[in-house]
């Protein structure tokens, strides 16, 4: 097993920097525990600037984050309490298909134009198969209930306000979290410092390189920081990889138009603990996020600056909030969408926003941080001479696979209330995998076969693709959907959640 580099410097103290510090410190600890030969622990230093702030957003996760805390051996209740966290069972997509026409001729399967994208559990296996069959039959003109909310455990828990911690451990439920990004950073920092990570404040003024190798960092106070290995967690700046080493960047801007966001916090909603979902609500030039935390609600508007100014976006978001909340201060952000071609080369690894960003629609950025770290350790420990090439190709596959699924939301919208939504359908460069799936779906070909054909490119699995195509109502027939079915498999799924639900003590 290869030891970690002896001296590691992480540049950046945002969520990516502190996640990296925790992950490496824990890895070093486990390696030491499993080794029969005592070896010095690697020296890990995290450098952050006092004058360059963190991005300060990123408050929703995917279920993958649970494994991160398990790896660190941190109890869920400990970190959740300290980070104002709540559970998340999925995302509700609202008004992405609202059109004047939809009110009259298209089948509306809910009373509003919305659908729920759930996290899937092993409990869903029988009902998911029912769902795929129902959707495929519906595509052929048969009348079926094709609302994903009626088939999946997560949706049922949202409807009933049943939190995962209230279910006995026998029920295998997958779920994620919402949390306060600043508090999570503080929590991870404390963990990392306790595991021996050094914390240094300073701003990098110059990166010294010899060909593709970083030799030292010059700080603006005149000090120099050297190490064997450098990890770039400097955010959108991409100080080491993008700037100093001129690593090539593949932009997603022709596929994903959003490049800006405005965030406004508001008071916590009533019972945020049982809200259990992120809401993604389409607005005129993008979408609004609504994230329930125990201390406040996170709101934001992700939009395209080609179609709307900062002032217009802020005004529209304020109008969408409750009147008594709209006096809160707004924070404007710019986003660069795309990814590096080489995330790891020689003695520099890029993690977090410095390696790329898709956009926050499915809250996947921290999942990518975690995956990039996990996969790095795997590759580092292998003695494969092509380990960097394999690493970069797998990380690029992940980024592109997520990009494909995010792009589908925009392409499948049916709104006609602004040039932005029309452009998302008509001008968006449709990635190859998405184009293949769309073609099969629209031609009435077997969707199962199509999904199998591109399986190695997909990050989102079958249920997600069925949910988005059906949820966005990509149907050519006008068959009226049936009301919620009440089969044995569905009753069993619902009962197993409700039966395992412990009554909460007041
Ligand atoms: C609008 C928006 C919404 C998002 N929502 C989600 C979400 O719901 N879920 C999710 O998973 N992700 C989300 N993200 C992404 C998420 O916010 C980031 O992935 C996460 O915060 C990690 O950021 P980071 O640590 O890479 O960069 P940052 O937070 O920007 O940190 C950069 C660090 O580098 C340091 N630095 C920079 N330059 C220097 C220098 N010269 N010298 C020394 N230090 C330097 C800074 O001081 C800072 O500490 C969202 C992003 C945006 C823009």
């Amino acid at each position: 097993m290869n030891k970690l580099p002896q001296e590691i410097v992480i540049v950046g103290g945002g969520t990516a920097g502190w996640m990296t510090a925790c992950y490496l410190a824990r890895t070093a600890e486990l390696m030491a525990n499993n080794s029969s030969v005592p070896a010095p622990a690697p020296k890990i230093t995290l450098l952050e600037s006092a004058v360059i702030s963190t991005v300060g957003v990123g408050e929703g996760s995917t279920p993958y984050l649970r494994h991160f805390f398990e790896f660190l051996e941190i109890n869920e209740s400990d970190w959740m309490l300290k980070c104002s966290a709540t559970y998340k069972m999925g995302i509700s997509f609202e008004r992405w298909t609202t059109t004047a026409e939809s009110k009259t001729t298209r089948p509306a399967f809910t009373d509003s134009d919305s659908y729920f994208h759930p996290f899937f559990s092993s409990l869903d296996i029988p009902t998911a198969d029912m769902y795929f069959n129902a959707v495929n039959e519906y595509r052929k003109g048969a009348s079926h209930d094709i609302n994903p909310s009626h088939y999946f455990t997560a949706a049922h828990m949202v409807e009933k306000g049943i939190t995962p911690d209230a279910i006995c451990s026998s029920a295998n439920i997958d779920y994620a979290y919402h949390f306060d990004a600043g508090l999570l950073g503080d929590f991870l920092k404390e963990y990392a410092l306790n595991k021996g990570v050094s914390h240094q404040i300073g701003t990098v003024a110059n990166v010294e390189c010899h060909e593709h190798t970083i030799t030292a960092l010059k700080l603006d106070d005149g000090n120099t920081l050297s190490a064997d290995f450098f990890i770039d967690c400097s955010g959108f700046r991409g100080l080491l990889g993008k700037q100093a080493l001129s690593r090539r960047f593949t932009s997603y801007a022709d596929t994903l138009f959003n490049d800006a966001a405005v965030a406004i916090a508001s008071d916590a909603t009533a019972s945020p603990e049982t809200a259990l979902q992120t809401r993604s609500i389409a607005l005129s030039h993008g979408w609004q996020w609504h994230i329930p935390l125990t201390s406040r609600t996170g709101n934001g508007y992700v939009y395209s600056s080609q179609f709307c100014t900062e002032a217009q976006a802020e005004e529209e978001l304020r109008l969408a909030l409750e009147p008594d909340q709209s006096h809160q201060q707004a924070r404007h952000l710019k986003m660069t969408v795309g990814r590096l071609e080489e995330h790891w080369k020689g003695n520099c690894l890029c993690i977090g926003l410095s390696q790329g960003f898709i956009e926050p629609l499915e809250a996947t950025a921290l999942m990518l941080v975690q995956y990039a770290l996990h996969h790095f350790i795997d590759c580092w420990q292998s003695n494969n001479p092509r380990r960097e090439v394999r690493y970069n190709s797998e990380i690029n596959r992940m980024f592109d696979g997520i990009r494909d699924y995010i792009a589908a939301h925009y392409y499948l919208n049916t709104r006609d209330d602004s040039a932005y939504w029309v452009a998302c359908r008509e001008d968006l460069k449709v990635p190859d995998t998405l184009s293949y799936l769309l073609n099969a779906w629209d031609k009435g070909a077997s969707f199962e076969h199509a999904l199998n054909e591109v399986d190695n490119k997909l990050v989102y699995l079958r249920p997600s693709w069925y949910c988005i195509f059906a949820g966005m109502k990509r149907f050519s027939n006008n068959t009226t959907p049936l009301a919620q079915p009440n089969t044995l498999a569905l009753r069993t799924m619902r009962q197993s959640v409700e039966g395992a639900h412990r009554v909460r003590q007041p």
Side-chain angles (χ1 to χ4, degrees):
M1 203 191 284
N2 287 336
K3 285 190 303 183
L4 291 178
Q6 267 316 105
E7 278 194 73
I8 303 172
V9 166
I10 300 165
V11 179
T15 316
W18 287 114
M19 281 178 78
T20 302
C22 292
Y23 198 88
L24 293 185
R26 176 74 183 134
T27 302
E29 183 178 66
L30 289 174
M31 282 172 129
N33 291 346
N34 292 336
S35 165
S36 49
V37 190
K43 181 169 182 284
I44 304 171
T45 304
L46 184 143
L47 173 81
E48 70 175 316
S49 169
V51 290
I52 303 171
S53 58
T54 62
V55 70
V57 279
E59 310 205 314
S61 84
T62 69
Y64 196 51
L65 194 65
R66 287 171 67 194
H67 304 302
F68 183 73
F69 289 104
E70 278 162 21
F71 178 69
L72 301 184
E73 292 193 324
I74 294 172
N75 279 334
E76 186 172 80
S77 51
D78 290 350
W79 81 264
M80 283 187 74
L81 187 66
K82 289 186 178 153
C83 301
S84 303
T86 57
Y87 292 108
K88 170 180 172 186
M89 303 308 302
I91 305 174
S92 107
F93 288 90
E94 302 171 24
R95 301 186 205 152
W96 286 68
T97 50
T98 304
T99 61
E101 189 198 6
S102 75
K103 301 281 184 301
T104 51
T105 59
R106 283 170 196 252
F109 51 64
T110 56
D111 45 10
S112 63
D113 286 314
S114 72
Y115 75 97
F116 184 66
H117 180 202
F119 298 131
F120 309 101
S121 299
S122 52
L123 271 182
D124 292 324
I125 293 168
T127 55
D129 276 337
M130 278 179 58
Y131 184 59
F132 306 152
N133 286 337
V135 172
N136 284 324
E137 291 293 311
Y138 188 83
R139 285 171 68 212
K140 292 180 196 152
S143 208
H144 273 288
D145 174 28
I146 34 95
N147 185 345
S149 297
H150 299 158
Y151 291 84
F152 296 99
T153 315
H156 190 62
M157 290 172 67
V158 173
E159 193 193 324
K160 298 280 175 197
I162 301 174
T163 55
D165 63 332
I167 308 244
C168 296
S169 55
S170 57
N172 191 3
I173 305 291
D174 220 357
Y175 59 87
Y177 310 101
H178 306 116
F179 45 81
D180 180 310
L183 296 178
L184 180 65
D186 294 344
F187 184 90
L188 295 175
K189 176 176 170 182
E190 192 182 328
Y191 176 97
L193 298 185
N194 282 335
K195 295 276 175 202
V197 172
S198 310
H199 182 209
Q200 192 170 331
I201 300 290
T203 302
V204 177
N206 190 32
V207 181
E208 295 186 347
C209 303
H210 177 67
E211 295 178 351
H212 294 294
T213 303
I214 297 178
T215 49
L217 305 177
K218 285 269 181 220
L219 307 190
D220 64 356
D221 59 9
N223 284 323
T224 300
L225 205 55
S226 50
D228 309 326
F229 200 87
F230 294 85
I231 305 187
D232 185 355
C233 295
S234 64
F236 283 125
R237 279 182 174 73
L239 200 66
L240 309 187
K242 221 192 299 184
Q243 288 190 38
L245 297 169
S246 308
R247 288 192 185 159
R248 291 229 308 251
F249 186 80
T250 299
S251 172
Y252 291 154
D254 51 1
T255 297
L256 300 170
F257 295 156
N258 295 341
D259 58 0
V262 51
I264 302 177
S266 62
D267 293 344
T269 48
S271 313
E273 297 86 354
T274 51
L276 294 175
Q277 60 179 341
T278 298
R279 292 176 63 205
S280 159
I281 308 153
L283 298 181
S284 308
H285 309 102
W287 59 277
Q288 174 194 349
W289 79 74
H290 177 280
I291 291 186
L293 307 182
T294 56
S295 54
R296 61 173 165 79
T297 304
N299 310 285
Y301 183 5
V302 177
Y303 63 95
S304 164
S305 64
Q306 284 176 58
F307 293 87
C308 144
T309 64
E310 278 190 5
Q312 285 168 330
E314 183 175 332
E315 190 187 349
E316 195 179 351
L317 179 59
R318 287 192 186 285
L319 281 175
L321 301 178
E322 296 293 324
D324 61 332
Q325 307 280 350
S326 67
H327 58 275
Q328 309 271 9
Q329 215 185 347
R331 219 152 58 78
H332 289 271
L333 300 141
K334 293 276 174 228
M335 316 186 300
T336 310
V337 293
R339 58 155 175 83
L340 291 176
E341 288 181 17
E342 292 177 318
H343 308 264
W344 173 24
K345 190 167 183 189
N347 74 341
C348 177
L349 171 72
C350 302
I351 297 280
L353 296 175
S354 71
Q355 73 181 133
F357 185 51
I358 299 169
E359 74 133 274
L361 189 58
E362 291 276 349
T364 46
L366 297 182
M367 176 178 89
L368 282 164
V369 166
Q370 193 184 335
Y371 187 75
L373 289 167
H374 178 75
H375 196 54
F376 171 71
I377 295 296
D378 274 357
C379 286
W380 178 269
Q381 289 182 338
S382 79
N383 283 324
N384 191 317
R386 288 176 52 77
R387 61 187 186 174
E388 291 174 20
V389 175
R390 291 171 78 143
Y391 178 80
N392 291 322
S393 129
E394 175 57 12
I395 301 300
N396 289 342
R397 187 191 74 81
M398 284 293 285
F399 265 88
D400 293 351
I402 295 172
R403 183 268 326 266
D404 293 348
Y405 190 68
I406 303 294
H409 296 76
Y410 294 97
Y411 186 79
L412 293 171
N413 94 82
T414 56
R415 290 178 69 108
D416 48 18
D417 57 325
S418 74
Y420 168 85
W421 288 108
V422 175
C424 286
R425 282 193 301 276
E426 294 183 357
D427 303 339
L428 181 148
K429 180 171 172 254
V430 183
D432 291 348
T433 306
L434 176 58
S435 172
Y436 179 81
L437 291 176
L438 277 163
N439 197 30
W441 178 278
D442 290 348
K443 281 189 171 154
S446 162
F447 199 49
E448 286 297 305
H449 176 75
L451 288 167
N452 284 338
E453 283 294 294
V454 289
D455 187 50
N456 61 348
K457 302 243 170 58
L458 300 181
V459 172
Y460 282 85
L461 303 177
R462 282 164 81 208
S464 294
W465 287 102
Y466 274 97
C467 285
I468 193 169
F469 275 77
M472 293 280 194
K473 302 179 193 160
R474 183 82 178 180
F475 296 108
S476 51
N477 67 70
N478 273 350
T479 310
T480 307
L482 288 181
Q484 185 168 0
N486 190 19
T487 62
L488 178 63
L490 284 167
R491 281 201 303 277
T492 310
M493 177 272 278
R494 291 180 199 126
Q495 280 162 4
S496 55
V497 173
E498 289 168 30
H501 173 205
R502 286 182 262 112
V503 177
R504 279 172 181 274
Q505 298 302 316

